Amino acid sequence: MDPDKINKTEKLLDDTHDWEKEFTFKFIYKNEPEILSQLKSLFPVDAVFSIKHSKNKNFQSLNVKAKMKNGKEVLAIYDKARQVKDVISL
């Protein structure tokens, strides 16, 4: 991602949120256990995970609620999630 865009997004997150705060992350991915495991490993142990299956069970959506310290921490997790194959971050 473009560094200027990252800085703008981080500033927007910091301007619109009072940190330390629970933040909700959303992902869609192929219904494969290893992908879910990789995504879960990005979050602190106290994160809360909610999974929904698509109609044909080919895909899953994952909502994660985790306490974040700032916008930079949020963007770091999304950056790591981008590296997991077959994952769409929302």
Side-chain angles (χ1 to χ4, degrees):
M1 189 186 281
D2 173 20
D4 193 41
K5 189 174 182 179
I6 291 171
N7 290 336
K8 287 180 183 178
T9 304
E10 182 181 336
K11 183 175 179 352
L12 179 64
L13 283 167
D14 287 339
D15 289 347
T16 57
H17 293 81
D18 293 322
W19 304 104
E20 184 164 307
K21 176 183 179 82
E22 185 174 81
F23 189 86
T24 302
F25 295 83
K26 298 182 181 209
F27 306 98
I28 297 173
Y29 57 96
K30 285 187 177 181
N31 188 2
E32 296 178 10
E34 70 180 50
I35 295 175
L36 176 59
S37 177
Q38 289 176 34
L39 288 172
K40 283 185 168 185
S41 74
L42 302 177
F43 294 93
V45 295
D46 61 345
V48 177
F49 300 96
S50 173
I51 300 168
K52 292 185 181 177
H53 300 275
S54 66
K55 182 178 179 180
N56 295 326
K57 301 202 188 276
N58 294 328
F59 295 91
Q60 290 181 326
S61 67
L62 174 66
N63 288 347
V64 183
K65 291 185 180 186
K67 192 169 274 191
M68 297 285 109
K69 295 177 186 169
N70 53 45
K72 187 173 194 167
E73 191 174 28
V74 169
L75 292 177
I77 289 178
Y78 273 122
D79 187 50
K80 290 175 186 174
R82 277 192 12 239
Q83 298 170 28
V84 179
K85 186 179 178 188
D86 297 322
V87 172
I88 298 170
S89 301
L90 303 176

